[in-house]
């Protein structure tokens, strides 16, 4: 974080969503930030090369495509940890993978184009590692709206939240567009013209279809995806709560509305190892800050919350996002 210039901070803070769908989007976005087109493009290139940003472009909502997105975990013996991480990360269906401090010490996200792909991925991991996979599919989404501010101290749950809707099957042209931009937009003055060249579509068609994909929720947003560690959020805490079944939806809605929470879901228990059914992600500039916020949230939940824990990530093992 200390190596970021004022311009880089400005770009990270203000380009996480709302990137223009116009012929010269970097020119338009730069104008709003007081930067010329070339300066904005070179700044983004520098941020990506230094991994301050992990991606710049659309974030795909896999469930809107008819696919599936499942959180899962392993309990890996320490002598085998690196070997198992390599086996898990080699699977294309693994979009994110984190080491967390718990008996379940490897947590990863499986993202597949078809729901049945999740079971196939779990079976593959269990076969390769000889370890049981604990799957935690999303039973209800209360909030997803992550937006980070450089420095690690501002609330993060500020993005636009779209509740999950029915799948939106892609037309052939839409699928070609998603494939062309899923790893990021081309960092050139006319990126949509370049996408048009890659897909064989007219630029006006690309812009219209991208707008529709965004409005329908196939894309959650278009913009910068920060590496939260690099901009000051050094404490990544997955807070989990054991909540009475009759109260979990009420408390999940309340928890998801809190500014400190970037993600909030209801997920199944896995007894006897795992008793928690409400998951929330919090990020801060220190573990103490995250724990203090979790304690405050826990107090507000009252007697319906019987227990809680915070699993901090100590290492990013993989972070790529969905690829179709």
């Amino acid at each position: 974080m200390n190596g970021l210039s004022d311009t880089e901070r400005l770009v990270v803070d203000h380009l996480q969503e709302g990137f223009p769908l116009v012929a010269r989007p970097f020119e338009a976005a730069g104008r709003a930030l007081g930067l010329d087109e070339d300066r904005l493009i070179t700044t983004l290139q520098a941020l990506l090369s230094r991994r301050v940003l992990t991606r710049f472009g659309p974030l795909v909502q896999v469930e809107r495509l008819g696919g599936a997105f499942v959180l899962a975990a392993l309990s890996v013996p320490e002598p085998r940890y690196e070997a198992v991480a390599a086996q898990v990360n080699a699977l294309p269906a693994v979009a994110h993978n984190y080491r967390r401090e718990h008996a379940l010490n490897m947590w990863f996200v499986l993202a597949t184009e078809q729901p049945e792909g999740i079971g196939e991925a779990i079976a593959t991991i269990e076969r390769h590692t000889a370890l049981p996979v604990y799957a935690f599919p999303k039973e209800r989404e209360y909030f997803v709206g992550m937006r980070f501010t450089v420095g690690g101290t501002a609330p993060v749950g500020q993005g636009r939240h779209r509740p999950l809707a029915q799948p939106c099957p892609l037309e052939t042209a839409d699928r070609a567009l998603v494939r062309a931009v899923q790893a990021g937009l081309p960092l050139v003055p006319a990126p949509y013209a370049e996408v048009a060249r890659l897909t064989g579509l007219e630029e006006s068609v690309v812009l219209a279809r991208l707008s529709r994909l965004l409005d329908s929720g196939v894309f959650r947003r278009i913009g910068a995806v920060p590496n939260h560690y690099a901009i000051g959020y050094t404490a990544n805490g997955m807070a989990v709560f054991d909540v009475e079944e009759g109260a979990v939806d009420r408390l999940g809605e309340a928890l998801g509305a809190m500014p400190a929470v970037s993600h909030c879901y209801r997920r199944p228990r896995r007894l006897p190892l795992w008793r928690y059914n409400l998951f929330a992600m919090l990020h801060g500039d220190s573990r103490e800050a995250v724990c203090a916020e979790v304690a405050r949230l826990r107090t507000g939940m009252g007697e319906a919350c019987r227990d809680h824990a915070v699993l901090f990530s100590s290492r990013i093992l993989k972070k790529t996002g969905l690829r179709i």
Side-chain angles (χ1 to χ4, degrees):
M1 184 184 69
N2 292 334
L4 295 182
S5 68
D6 290 343
T7 296
E8 289 173 332
R9 290 171 178 249
L10 182 71
V11 168
V12 172
D13 283 350
H14 294 281
L15 279 191
Q16 293 178 43
E17 64 179 326
F19 191 64
L21 287 170
V22 297
R24 301 291 288 262
F26 294 106
E27 181 180 64
R31 187 183 309 118
L33 299 177
L35 304 173
D36 64 35
E37 181 181 66
D38 289 342
R39 180 83 177 278
L40 178 54
I41 290 173
T42 57
T43 299
L44 286 169
Q45 289 170 335
L47 291 168
L48 287 164
S49 68
R50 294 181 358 241
R51 298 292 294 168
V52 176
L53 300 181
T54 61
R55 191 162 72 255
F56 184 86
L59 274 72
V60 179
Q61 162 62 293
V62 64
E63 289 140 321
R64 287 290 282 143
L65 303 180
F69 196 78
V70 171
L71 179 67
L74 290 170
S75 180
V76 184
E78 285 301 324
R80 296 184 55 202
Y81 200 91
E82 296 303 320
V84 170
Q87 290 173 312
V88 172
N89 291 347
L91 195 68
V94 175
H96 300 162
N97 192 5
Y98 286 83
R99 179 170 186 140
R100 293 194 182 276
E101 298 169 357
H102 188 266
L104 292 174
N105 55 4
M106 185 179 295
W107 288 79
F108 49 93
V109 171
L110 297 169
T112 61
E113 287 188 70
Q114 303 296 330
E116 57 268 24
I118 295 295
E120 295 168 1
I122 289 173
T124 297
I125 292 171
E126 291 185 331
R127 185 171 63 253
H128 288 174
T129 66
L131 297 170
V133 172
Y134 296 85
F136 299 94
K138 176 172 56 179
E139 294 181 336
R140 184 170 174 187
E141 175 181 302
Y142 301 110
F143 184 78
V144 179
M146 183 166 55
R147 185 181 185 280
F148 293 108
T149 302
V150 173
T153 57
V156 296
Q158 301 173 350
R160 177 171 47 180
H161 176 240
R162 286 196 179 101
L164 182 63
Q166 293 300 310
C168 178
L170 293 184
E171 297 177 11
T172 301
D174 291 331
R175 183 178 177 82
L177 277 178
V178 173
R179 288 178 63 89
V181 302
Q182 62 186 351
L185 284 175
L187 296 183
V188 296
Y192 304 123
E194 177 63 14
V195 172
R197 185 188 68 78
L198 294 171
T199 58
L201 301 170
E202 296 292 330
E203 183 182 22
S204 60
V205 173
V206 167
L207 289 167
R209 286 184 175 272
L210 289 177
S211 178
R212 187 162 62 250
L213 290 169
L214 185 63
D215 290 341
S216 69
V218 171
F219 295 152
R220 283 195 182 271
R221 57 186 173 94
I222 301 176
V225 182
N227 172 355
H228 47 81
Y229 292 102
I231 63 170
Y233 294 85
T234 54
N236 171 325
M238 184 173 75
V240 292
F241 304 88
D242 173 15
V243 176
E244 294 176 1
E245 294 300 323
V248 64
D249 286 337
R250 173 177 60 83
L251 293 181
E253 293 283 0
L255 201 63
M258 296 293 103
V261 173
S262 64
H263 302 65
C264 189
Y265 303 106
R266 178 175 180 167
R267 300 187 187 276
R269 308 175 196 272
R270 290 288 181 251
L271 299 172
L273 180 64
W274 188 264
R275 62 187 297 180
Y276 308 105
N277 59 345
L278 183 58
F279 291 58
M281 286 302 308
L282 294 92
H283 307 265
D285 61 351
S286 69
R287 293 185 178 215
E288 292 76 15
V290 171
C291 286
E293 184 62 30
V294 171
R296 188 182 71 80
L297 297 175
R298 166 66 182 85
T299 299
M301 297 169 78
E303 294 183 358
C305 179
R306 297 172 292 213
D307 194 11
H308 78 285
V310 184
L311 281 65
F312 284 100
S313 66
S314 57
R315 184 177 164 197
I316 300 176
L317 302 171
K318 182 179 182 181
K319 189 171 184 180
T320 60
L322 170 71
R323 297 289 186 269
I324 69 169

